[in-house]
C-alpha cells in the first residue's frame, strides 16, 4: 500500500526517512500511534488462547531496562574502575 | 474482553463513522445500524501468540537477522553487546545484580516446573466456561425448535376449526329444535286442557240436569201414588207371588 499507511515493521530501511516525514507528530497523532502499538502488542501476545510467560515477561524486561536507563547517573557513581 | 473489543474495533469503527447527525427527536451522534460491520459474532481468539525465544526476544528478530548472519547471528550480537556493556561498565555490577540473578533463577525454575500444570488448569476453566455457554445456547436452540414444532402443530389444529364450528352449529340447531318442540307440546297441552274443561263442564251440566229431572220425575210419581193405589198394587203383588210359588212347587 501507500507509504504513509504501512506499519513500521513493513517499512524498508531506505524508506524510513520518508515514512517518518509522513507521520503526524501532533498530540492526537502520537496518542493514536501509542494506542495502536499497545493494542497490536496485546492482540499478539496477551489476548490469545494459549499465551505463555512471554507476554508479561517482555513488558517487565522493558520496564527493567527503562528504570535502569532513568537511574543511570546514579549507577555511574558505583563503577568498579575509573578508566575503561 | 470488552477492552479487547474496543481496542480491536475502535480504529476501524472510527474510520467508518459518518459525521454526526440529529435524527428527529432521538438526538444521536451517529445513525444506528448503518455500518457494515457489527460487533457480533466476535471473531475467536487466536490459538497461540507470537513466537518468543527464551521468553524475552520475539522470533521476528531472529528471522530478521537470519538472511545476513544465519542462525548464530543474534546470539553473537547478544554476547558482543553484553561484553561491551560489562567491559565499559555501562551496566554496573552491584548488589542488585546478585539479587536479580537469584530472583530470575527461582522464577525460571518455577515456570519450568509448574507452568504446564497451571496452563492445564486455566485451559480446563476456559473449557468449562465454553461448555456451559455452549450448553446454554444449545438448550435455547432446542427449546425454540420445540416451540416452533408446537406452534406448527397448533396451526394444524386450528385448521380443523371448520369442523368444530359445524358441530357447534348442529348442537345449537338441535337445541333450538328441541326447545321449539317443547313449546309446541306445551301449547298443545294447554289448549287441550282448556277444551277438556269446556267438555267436562258441558257433561257436568247435562248430568246435573238429568239427575235433577229424574229425581223430579220420581218424586212426582211417588207423590202421585195414592194410598189406595198402593194397597191395590201390594195385594196384586201378593197374589202374583202366590201363583208363582205354586208354579214353582209344581215344577219341583
Amino acid at each position: 500500500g501507500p507509504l504513509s499507511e504501512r506499519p513500521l515493521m513493513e517499512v524498508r530501511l531506505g524508506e524510513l526517512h520518508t515514512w517518518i516525514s509522513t507521520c503526524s507528530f501532533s498530540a492526537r497523532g502520537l496518542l493514536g500511534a501509542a494506542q495502536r502499538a499497545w493494542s497490536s502488542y496485546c492482540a499478539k501476545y496477551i489476548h490469545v488462547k494459549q499465551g505463555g510467560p512471554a507476554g508479561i515477561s517482555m513488558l517487565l524486561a522493558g520496564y527493567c531496562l527503562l528504570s535502569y536507563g532513568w537511574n543511570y547517573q546514579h549507577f555511574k557513581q558505583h563503577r568498579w574502575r575509573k578508566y575503561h | 474482553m470488552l477492552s479487547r473489543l474496543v481496542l480491536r474495533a475502535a480504529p476501524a469503527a472510527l474510520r467508518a463513522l459518518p459525521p454526526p447527525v440529529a435524527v428527529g427527536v432521538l438526538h444521536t451522534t451517529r445513525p444506528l445500524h448503518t455500518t457494515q460491520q457489527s460487533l457480533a459474532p466476535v471473531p475467536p481468539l487466536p490459538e497461540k501468540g507470537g513466537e518468543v525465544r527464551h521468553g524475552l526476544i520475539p522470533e521476528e528478530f531472529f528471522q530478521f537477522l537470519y538472511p545476513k548472519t544465519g542462525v548464530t547471528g543474534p546470539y553473537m550480537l547478544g554476547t558482543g553487546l553484553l561484553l561491551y556493556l560489562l567491559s565499559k561498565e555501562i551496566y554496573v555490577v552491584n548488589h542488585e545484580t546478585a539479587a536479580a540473578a537469584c530472583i530470575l533463577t527461582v522464577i525460571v525454575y518455577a515456570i519450568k516446573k509448574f507452568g504446564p500444570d497451571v496452563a492445564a488448569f486455566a485451559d480446563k476453566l476456559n473449557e468449562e466456561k465454553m461448555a456451559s455457554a455452549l450448553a446454554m445456547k444449545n438448550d435455547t436452540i432446542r427449546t425454540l425448535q420445540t416451540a416452533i414444532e408446537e406452534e406448527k402443530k397448533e396451526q394444524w389444529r386450528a385448521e380443523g376449526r371448520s369442523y368444530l364450528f359445524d358441530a357447534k352449529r348442529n348442537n345449537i340447531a338441535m337445541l333450538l329444535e328441541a326447545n321449539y318442540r317443547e313449546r309446541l307440546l306445551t301449547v298443545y297441552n294447554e289448549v287441550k286442557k282448556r277444551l277438556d274443561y269446556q267438555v267436562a263442564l258441558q257433561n257436568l251440566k247435562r248430568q246435573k240436569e238429568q239427575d235433577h229431572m229424574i229425581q223430579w220425575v220420581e218424586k212426582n210419581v211417588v207423590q202421585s201414588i195414592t194410598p189406595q193405589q198402593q194397597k191395590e198394587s201390594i195385594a196384586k203383588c201378593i197374589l202374583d207371588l202366590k201363583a208363582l210359588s205354586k208354579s214353582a212347587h209344581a215344577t219341583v
Side-chain angles (χ1 to χ4, degrees):
Chain A
L3 180 55
S4 60
E5 299 286 321
R6 265 186 267 163
L8 181 54
M9 282 296 135
E10 295 172 21
V11 173
R12 304 171 101 88
L13 270 172
E15 300 165 349
L16 196 59
H17 200 234
T18 34
W19 185 85
I20 287 185
S21 65
T22 61
C23 273
S24 67
F25 286 105
S26 62
R28 192 173 169 192
L30 285 174
L31 264 173
Q35 186 165 15
R36 259 178 287 131
W38 174 248
S39 72
S40 55
Y41 177 81
C42 275
K44 188 160 182 198
Y45 292 107
I46 299 186
H47 296 310
V48 288
K49 274 194 200 151
Q50 287 174 346
I56 330 163
S57 77
M58 279 199 281
L59 286 173
L60 287 175
Y63 168 70
C64 290
L65 285 176
L66 257 181
S67 47
Y68 188 87
W70 282 334
N71 296 329
Y72 182 61
Q73 294 305 317
H74 176 257
F75 286 126
K76 217 161 134 177
Q77 294 158 6
H78 294 293
R79 281 181 168 173
W80 291 65
R81 295 281 184 276
K82 198 171 160 190
Y83 301 106
H84 302 97
Chain B
M1 178 78 169
L2 285 174
S3 63
R4 182 179 78 91
L5 278 178
V6 166
L7 287 172
R8 263 204 180 170
L14 282 168
R15 259 186 251 133
L17 274 185
V21 290
V23 181
V25 179
L26 185 67
H27 183 76
T28 54
T29 48
R30 65 180 174 103
L32 303 167
H33 299 303
T34 49
T35 54
Q36 244 79 17
Q37 62 176 185
S38 64
L39 293 178
V42 173
L45 288 174
E47 279 291 330
K48 295 189 74 62
E51 279 288 320
V52 172
R53 226 190 264 203
H54 306 300
L56 276 181
I57 306 153
E59 192 67 34
E60 280 86 8
F61 184 65
F62 292 85
Q63 296 304 322
F64 174 66
L65 289 179
Y66 180 76
K68 289 285 189 247
T69 60
V71 179
T72 52
Y75 295 108
M76 285 292 109
L77 179 66
T79 318
L81 251 180
L82 194 63
L83 286 176
Y84 164 69
L85 291 175
L86 281 172
S87 79
K88 283 287 189 188
E89 277 205 296
I90 298 176
Y91 177 70
V92 179
V93 174
N94 49 8
H95 60 286
E96 283 176 18
T97 314
C102 299
I103 292 174
L104 278 175
T105 319
V106 168
I107 288 181
V108 167
Y109 174 72
I111 287 183
K112 285 269 186 292
K113 184 132 190 252
F114 301 117
D117 292 336
V118 169
F121 175 71
D123 280 343
K124 194 158 71 76
L125 285 180
N126 260 358
E127 274 301 315
E128 281 168 19
K129 267 193 240 170
M130 284 284 296
S132 74
L134 212 64
M136 224 174 0
K137 179 183 106 161
N138 284 346
D139 276 342
T140 320
I141 287 179
R142 218 175 302 133
T143 324
L144 288 173
Q145 264 176 346
T146 40
I148 288 175
E149 277 158 30
E150 294 280 313
E151 184 62 34
K152 286 220 167 76
K153 197 140 187 232
E154 288 300 314
Q155 282 177 349
W156 169 80
R157 280 209 191 111
E159 283 171 17
R161 65 184 180 276
S162 62
Y163 299 121
L164 186 70
F165 295 157
D166 280 345
K168 286 196 173 191
R169 244 179 261 130
N170 282 351
N171 278 358
I172 289 177
M174 231 185 294
L175 275 177
L176 285 173
E177 184 79 19
N179 205 3
Y180 172 69
R181 287 198 187 178
E182 249 181 59
R183 279 189 264 141
L184 215 57
L185 188 67
T186 319
V187 162
Y188 167 76
N189 284 341
E190 288 296 311
V191 168
K192 187 158 182 305
K193 272 199 279 188
R194 275 155 185 67
L195 291 177
D196 284 346
Y197 173 72
Q198 293 298 325
V199 162
L201 204 64
Q202 281 180 358
N203 284 350
L204 185 70
K205 194 163 174 203
R206 182 168 315 141
Q207 196 161 346
K208 284 291 176 224
E209 285 174 356
Q210 259 186 349
D211 287 345
H212 187 257
M213 214 181 294
I214 289 173
Q215 270 187 344
W216 187 79
V217 165
E218 276 183 0
K219 195 167 78 169
N220 278 359
V221 165
V222 168
Q223 271 181 351
S224 72
I225 297 178
T226 59
Q228 202 226 340
Q229 269 183 327
Q230 204 168 349
K231 270 192 213 165
E232 279 183 15
S233 65
I234 286 177
K236 185 140 195 334
C237 286
I238 291 174
L239 281 175
D240 279 337
L241 276 174
K242 279 187 188 164
L244 275 173
S245 71
K246 271 190 204 155
S247 63
H249 273 301
T251 54
V252 167

